[in-house]
Amino acid sequence: MADTVATPKAHGHVEHHDVDYLHDGSLLSWLTTVDHKKIGVMYLWSVLFMFFLGGVFALLVRLELFAPGKTIMDAETYNKVFTLHGAIMVFLFIIPSIPAALGNFVLPLMLGAKDVAFPRLNLASFWIYVVGALIAVTAMVTGGVDTGWTFYTPYSTTTDGSVALMTFAAFVLGFSSILTGVNFIATVHKLRAPGMSWFRMPLFIWSMYSTAIIQVLATPVLAITLLLLIMERTFGVGVFDPKLGGDPVLFQHFFWFYSHPAVYIMILPGMAVISEVIPSMSQKTFFGYKATAFSSVAIAIVSFVVWGHHMFTSGQSQLAGAVFSFLTFLVGIPSGIKVFNWITTMYRGSISLQAPMLYALMFLILFGIGGLTGLFLGALSVDIHLHDTYFVVAHFHYVMMGSTAIAFLAGLHYWWPKMFGRTYNETAARISAILVFIGFNTTFLPQFLLGSRGMPRRYYDYLPEFQFLHQVSTVGSWILGLGFLIMAGYLFASLRKKMDAPANPWNARSLEWQIASPPITHNFHETPVVTTEPYDYYRPFEPSVKEHH
Amino acid sequence: MSGHAHTPSARIYVVTLGALLFLTGITVGAAYINFGSSSINLIIAVLIATVKASLVAMIFMHLRHDPPVNAIIFISSLLFLGLFILFPMIDIGSRDKVVPYGLRMQNPPPAAAGQAPAPGAPAASGEHGAAPAASH
Amino acid sequence: MSAESHVVEHNAEHSFRQHHFIDAEQQFTTSKLGMWLFLATEILMFGGLFVGYGLMQSVYPEAWIAGHHHLDRIMGAINTVFLLCSSFTMVMAVHYASTSQKSKTVVNLLLTLGFAAGFLVIKYFEYSHKFHDGLLPGRYFAYHGGGPSQQAMFFGFYFAMTGLHGVHVLVGMGLIAWILLRTMKGEFSSAYYTPVDLVGLYWHLVDLIWIYLFPLLYLVN
């Protein structure tokens, strides 16, 4: 249907019918590829490297906090180190991680498409990411930034350091995110295979689509916020500086209008992955498909009206605080719906406890904790006491790392055989997962206690009564690091093996599992025709792809 | 074939341009008339601008013939922009009127009449020339 | 239509059709969808400036009024007329491209460029007048004619909003020039004129933003 009119000359290239995408083209050709799978893999190595970099900064932070006062660095350096940890993790790792690395690879396959809607824009998005990353690294080595990743004014408009460069890096990275969002929305609307109606799409797509909506609508506001910040530093305009009649709270409104939806850019893709791993590794139909699909969209929309819960103590009016607090409780509802649906999906399923499922189970526990503690913080009166304490730090690590990063790992292990055609050592993966789980909780559970007992965040020094919990937390970070070290080991070892992965190691139903591992360049020999519901594990498998292996 | 099933004739574009220019004249003219308060002037100006914008969007940008998803995208962006305006307005509009401690000490009577809820209070009151301790 | 011209047209369409689309129609509508998504981002970005401008106006109404008085309404109105006319010539260019009328497309693209250049010329006069009077943003504000000190903030917004808009006009002119060259090379016809349409959409957005900028900056008192 798709290429019946083609002549080789009109196409300008010869169809590669049987070569998998990894062996199609030289290594250098990857830099100018428009193949979504190669772009996804390039993103993958980039975000993994950034995770490593941000993780090193984290280990340094925790090492410094092992004892009160100076341990390995002075206070000014400490401010820079935690700022860079946050900025790298947020802008260079978490936000692109699942959408750009896994989503780029999987989304077109799941839809039965040959690529995303705008492949060249996809490549542009990757190179813009690289440019943004280079600018950020430049900012790091030319003086660093000590404002915290939130760049609050008036400190950020008046302090020394490479604030303008770092914010410009975030500005550039924002466009990478926007282009990914544009591509995904257009792809979902226009490139679904015949027979794939909206309610036959896997839930991964619904969540990625909702993420893309946020990326498109919220990120531009970050762009203008950062531009205004740079203008304030350069021209002294005074919009955010009280000495010049400006309003620092206005900066926070601007900043959080993006940054709160941004955290849903982080969690929705995590939920997307979980919605795939759980049904397939429970071999069971998804319970509450439509409720979960609509919940994704609801999260995306409601996420835009809760940002003031980051500002309860900032000086915003009581009325605004009350409104934001009320709306914040609303946004927890669709998340709760999803958690119940995931658990019910597992009920009476045939569960296999391999690495992706281990991470999915970890997600359920850690997101439960992270989400609930978010509600505690959303209660205005409680937040007055907990704001800017370690309670907040613990909360967002449970949702950003314990949930999104864990889901990213679930997806990485789930789709690894599809992406690279190779399996990894399952025993090593399980050991690593357990270490990550233990290490993560050891690091962050004590921080809830630290926070509720009064330990402020971003503080270099602290009272001796907090030392024990800080030490526990630091030891936890070492266990976490060890888990990741082992992970790096077996994943690299996997890449050096010969291709041994079956097309469908998990016996899953979605379209990406009905083609070879790894896929051919054009994904499908013929356009699939979809006639089945997603996750139809209750009946024998009916392939939609004709050359099904 | 790429493109819509029918291509509109060019006449509609000429008519639209005429309407746009006419409305521009109205906008400029209305600015010289005092309708009472400055907020009414503002509302009228924005309303006329919105009519012009709708003409450009519907006719020049072909939204009235396009698949509805394009218009949905356009309207959604405006709605979310509306949210972005609404909440900070609620905030700034409902902040307590606070007289800073230093000002209260220097001007003991509790009048503080007409103090706008300005965020940088010493600086704002400098505009009214009241505070001796105005920082610029 | 002769069989040969049908093949020529089909090949022209086909050489632009990307392999992952079913047909040219799908590619065209998808491209427009993508463009509207991009326009949505522009609306949110500029919108942020409008939000800041509006909020600060409510805090410093006198400074805003004083700032308004320094702006030349006539120049602003002329610029509005220029941009509206350029929007008209742009949509005419798209119209003629969609009906394979190459020379009329070229003429209208040139006219669009002309109006855009006129806009920038007026902007140049406005800006140099401001520089001359010391009406500059933030710490560079050096106006000696009195008035509320927050005028410096007004001019911060003025230059940010008109400056960002002006950058978009420049970029738009570059895009229109690129489309003009491709049109003259005969790359567009009723079978394929998507880039003209997309650049047109961008240009209309630039016009849309000015439709709001003009009254809010120049006319409100």
Side-chain angles (χ1 to χ4, degrees):
Chain A
M1 173 187 191
D3 306 303
T4 46
V5 203
T7 64
K9 285 209 185 96
H11 261 299
H13 67 270
V14 176
E15 292 269 10
H16 295 270
H17 279 283
D18 290 319
V19 184
D20 70 73
Y21 81 99
L22 284 172
H23 290 104
D24 184 7
S26 67
L27 203 55
L28 218 54
S29 73
W30 279 60
L31 301 179
T32 53
T33 183
V34 290
D35 180 351
H36 67 99
K37 300 182 289 301
K38 291 183 178 172
I39 293 174
V41 170
M42 290 198 289
Y43 261 116
L44 181 63
W45 301 137
S46 310
V47 302
L48 285 177
F49 175 71
M50 287 304 164
F51 182 59
F52 166 73
L53 198 59
V56 166
F57 280 118
L59 289 171
L60 289 172
V61 167
R62 284 270 26 115
L63 199 50
E64 168 55 39
L65 291 171
F66 193 77
K70 174 171 174 173
T71 312
I72 55 167
M73 61 181 90
D74 62 27
E76 284 74 27
T77 309
Y78 176 76
N79 291 343
K80 292 182 186 176
V81 171
F82 76 67
T83 299
L84 293 175
H85 163 70
I88 293 172
M89 285 303 201
V90 168
F91 294 115
L92 289 166
F93 168 61
I94 301 191
I95 286 177
S97 61
I98 299 177
L102 297 177
N104 261 326
F105 194 99
V106 169
L107 186 132
L109 296 178
M110 263 190 193
L111 291 177
K114 288 185 149 185
D115 212 304
V116 290
F118 311 118
R120 291 171 297 187
L121 216 59
N122 207 7
L123 182 67
S125 149
F126 173 70
W127 284 113
I128 292 174
Y129 171 87
V130 171
V131 167
L134 289 172
I135 298 176
V137 169
T138 310
M140 281 180 232
V141 301
T142 59
V145 181
D146 63 347
T147 58
W149 80 275
T150 50
F151 304 117
Y152 275 11
T153 61
Y155 186 66
S156 61
T157 49
T158 51
T159 184
D160 294 331
S162 305
V163 176
L165 256 185
M166 183 60 92
T167 49
F168 187 64
F171 178 84
V172 170
L173 290 165
F175 282 101
S176 172
S177 184
I178 286 174
L179 292 182
T180 301
V182 168
N183 235 327
F184 282 3
I185 294 177
T187 308
V188 171
H189 272 274
K190 304 296 282 185
L191 292 185
R192 281 170 282 128
M196 186 175 282
S197 61
W198 281 79
F199 290 119
R200 282 186 179 168
M201 295 193 310
L203 288 166
F204 180 87
I205 308 289
W206 278 97
S207 277
M208 297 304 299
Y209 179 77
S210 306
T211 306
I213 292 177
I214 307 179
Q215 282 174 298
V216 166
L217 290 175
T219 318
V221 176
L222 176 74
I224 201 65
T225 305
L226 297 175
L227 268 185
L228 282 173
L229 182 62
I230 294 174
M231 256 184 46
E232 186 107 338
R233 274 182 81 84
T234 327
F235 297 108
V237 177
V239 182
F240 305 128
D241 190 343
K243 287 209 307 291
L244 299 171
D247 185 0
V249 179
L250 188 62
F251 175 83
Q252 295 185 31
H253 277 300
F254 269 68
F255 179 83
W256 288 111
F257 182 85
Y258 163 73
S259 298
H260 186 80
V263 313
Y264 293 94
I265 295 177
M266 300 174 199
I267 193 63
L268 275 170
M271 295 172 159
V273 171
I274 300 305
S275 291
E276 291 309 305
V277 172
I278 285 190
S280 86
M281 296 188 76
S282 310
Q283 287 289 293
K284 197 158 158 284
T285 312
F286 198 96
F287 180 89
Y289 172 94
K290 278 197 179 169
T292 303
F294 289 135
S295 290
S296 294
V297 180
I299 291 174
I301 295 175
V302 181
S303 75
F304 276 92
V305 292
V306 300
W307 78 85
H309 65 230
H310 299 269
M311 298 164 56
F312 285 145
T313 64
S314 65
Q316 78 180 351
S317 75
Q318 289 180 346
L319 175 62
V323 169
F324 278 123
S325 177
F326 175 74
L327 292 170
T328 301
F329 283 100
L330 284 187
V331 82
I333 297 175
S335 299
I337 290 176
K338 287 192 173 198
V339 172
F340 288 126
N341 283 340
W342 288 319
I343 295 176
T344 315
T345 300
M346 284 168 55
Y347 178 65
R348 303 197 111 196
S350 167
I351 296 176
S352 82
L353 287 174
Q354 289 157 294
M357 190 58 164
L358 285 182
Y359 282 112
L361 292 172
M362 280 161 53
F363 175 93
L364 288 175
I365 298 171
L366 300 176
F367 179 65
I369 296 175
L372 279 173
T373 51
L375 289 176
F376 301 165
L377 292 167
L380 200 154
S381 46
V382 175
D383 186 74
I384 302 295
H385 300 278
L386 295 178
H387 178 75
D388 264 351
T389 67
Y390 261 79
F391 196 93
V392 179
V393 176
H395 155 70
F396 67 65
H397 280 93
Y398 266 85
V399 279
M400 290 211 252
M401 184 172 183
S403 308
T404 299
I406 292 298
F408 172 72
L409 294 174
L412 187 65
H413 287 76
Y414 186 66
W415 281 299
W416 185 272
K418 179 60 57 183
M419 292 169 81
F420 301 110
R422 296 156 170 100
T423 57
Y424 46 81
N425 185 318
E426 179 62 32
T427 309
R430 285 173 171 170
I431 293 175
S432 169
I434 292 170
L435 281 173
V436 164
F437 187 71
I438 294 175
F440 177 83
N441 282 300
T442 312
T443 310
F444 292 108
L445 214 45
Q447 294 187 4
F448 283 121
L449 297 171
L450 279 171
S452 57
R453 290 171 190 180
M455 170 76 204
R457 68 184 282 198
R458 293 175 169 165
Y459 269 40
Y460 169 73
D461 197 0
Y462 54 80
L463 298 171
E465 70 209 56
F466 293 128
Q467 179 166 14
F468 173 67
L469 287 175
H470 268 297
Q471 289 178 328
V472 172
S473 181
T474 301
V475 170
S477 73
W478 298 336
I479 302 174
L480 200 48
L482 179 62
F484 285 125
L485 217 57
I486 297 178
M487 189 183 304
Y490 66 75
L491 287 180
F492 276 121
S494 150
L495 289 178
R496 300 176 59 157
K497 294 185 342 184
K498 280 173 31 162
M499 290 195 182
D500 62 342
N504 195 354
W506 319 115
N507 217 8
R509 294 281 166 110
S510 40
L511 288 176
E512 79 271 25
W513 301 109
Q514 299 182 30
I515 54 178
S517 299
I520 59 172
T521 299
H522 290 293
N523 300 343
F524 303 93
H525 287 296
E526 276 180 48
T527 311
V529 179
V530 176
T531 54
T532 53
E533 307 307 307
Y535 319 108
D536 55 340
Y537 293 101
Y538 57 86
R539 62 172 169 207
F541 174 49
E542 292 165 35
S544 303
V545 174
K546 292 211 187 67
E547 86 268 17
H548 160 72
H549 293 260
Chain B
M1 294 295 284
S2 61
H4 359 259
H6 73 280
T7 313
S9 85
R11 223 182 75 88
I12 185 70
Y13 300 134
V14 179
V15 171
T16 307
L17 176 66
L20 288 168
L21 292 172
F22 173 69
L23 286 167
T24 305
I26 303 263
T27 316
V28 176
Y32 288 100
I33 305 174
N34 190 339
F35 286 102
S37 76
S38 64
S39 13
I40 307 232
N41 271 64
L42 175 68
I43 293 174
I44 290 182
V46 169
L47 270 173
I48 301 180
T50 305
V51 173
K52 288 162 74 177
S54 310
L55 285 174
V56 171
M58 297 274 284
I59 299 177
F60 282 176
M61 297 172 91
H62 300 139
L63 271 185
R64 66 181 178 145
H65 292 304
D66 268 1
V69 65
N70 292 347
I72 293 174
I73 293 170
F74 179 58
I75 303 290
S76 300
S77 70
L78 296 172
L79 287 174
F80 280 89
L81 185 60
L83 290 174
F84 187 27
I85 298 173
L86 178 66
F87 285 89
M89 263 176 53
I90 293 177
D91 173 25
I92 290 191
S94 61
R95 288 202 194 149
D96 291 342
K97 291 171 173 31
V98 176
V99 182
Y101 182 79
L103 235 53
R104 258 182 284 141
M105 292 302 105
Q106 279 153 3
N107 306 314
Q115 279 281 6
S125 57
E127 248 190 78
H128 301 281
S135 55
H136 70 275
Chain C
M1 218 196 285
S2 77
E4 200 190 75
S5 65
H6 184 83
V7 167
V8 165
E9 198 183 62
H10 183 86
N11 278 347
E13 160 212 306
H14 193 78
S15 64
F16 290 106
R17 175 160 73 80
Q18 300 180 319
H19 73 100
H20 56 290
F21 289 111
I22 304 171
D23 57 22
E25 175 70 25
Q26 189 196 41
Q27 179 173 329
F28 178 69
T29 50
T30 307
S31 300
K32 292 208 34 170
L33 177 73
M35 192 63 195
W36 275 103
L37 288 168
F38 173 69
L39 295 184
T41 68
E42 291 274 28
I43 289 171
L44 263 318
M45 188 172 77
F46 267 99
L49 282 175
F50 280 101
V51 170
Y53 178 83
L55 288 170
M56 279 304 158
Q57 174 171 26
S58 69
V59 178
Y60 298 116
E62 302 98 6
W64 252 238
I65 292 174
H68 286 310
H69 286 326
H70 293 298
L71 300 183
D72 187 330
R73 284 180 177 177
I74 305 299
M75 284 184 155
I78 295 176
N79 267 350
T80 308
V81 170
F82 277 171
L83 279 188
L84 289 174
C85 292
S86 75
S87 251
F88 169 72
T89 52
M90 186 71 229
V91 73
M92 293 307 291
V94 175
H95 173 78
Y96 289 128
S98 75
T99 51
S100 303
Q101 296 178 70
K102 181 170 125 177
S103 49
K104 289 190 180 166
T105 309
V106 168
V107 165
N108 277 287
L109 287 176
L110 282 169
L111 284 172
T112 311
L113 280 176
F115 283 120
F119 178 92
L120 288 179
V121 164
I122 303 259
K123 266 259 101 24
Y124 168 76
F125 283 122
E126 279 190 282
Y127 274 21
S128 45
H129 193 77
K130 302 278 175 310
F131 288 9
H132 181 260
D133 284 350
L135 294 165
L136 293 168
R139 68 170 73 98
Y140 300 102
F141 185 75
Y143 182 67
H144 298 296
S149 59
Q150 298 324 328
Q151 282 181 99
M153 199 189 294
F154 173 86
F155 281 99
F157 276 105
Y158 169 79
F159 280 105
M161 292 164 90
T162 58
L164 191 60
H165 180 261
V167 166
H168 280 77
V169 170
L170 267 173
V171 169
M173 288 176 74
L175 290 171
I176 294 170
W178 173 58
I179 294 295
L180 178 62
L181 283 171
R182 291 182 70 183
T183 306
M184 298 197 308
K185 285 201 273 181
E187 287 185 25
F188 302 126
S189 69
S190 56
Y192 177 75
Y193 63 95
T194 311
V196 189
D197 204 323
L198 298 188
V199 171
L201 284 176
Y202 173 84
W203 189 253
H204 293 306
L205 181 83
V206 170
D207 186 22
L208 273 180
I209 293 167
W210 184 260
I211 285 176
Y212 281 96
L213 268 184
F214 172 56
L216 289 174
L217 283 177
Y218 291 79
L219 294 185
V220 181
N221 52 9

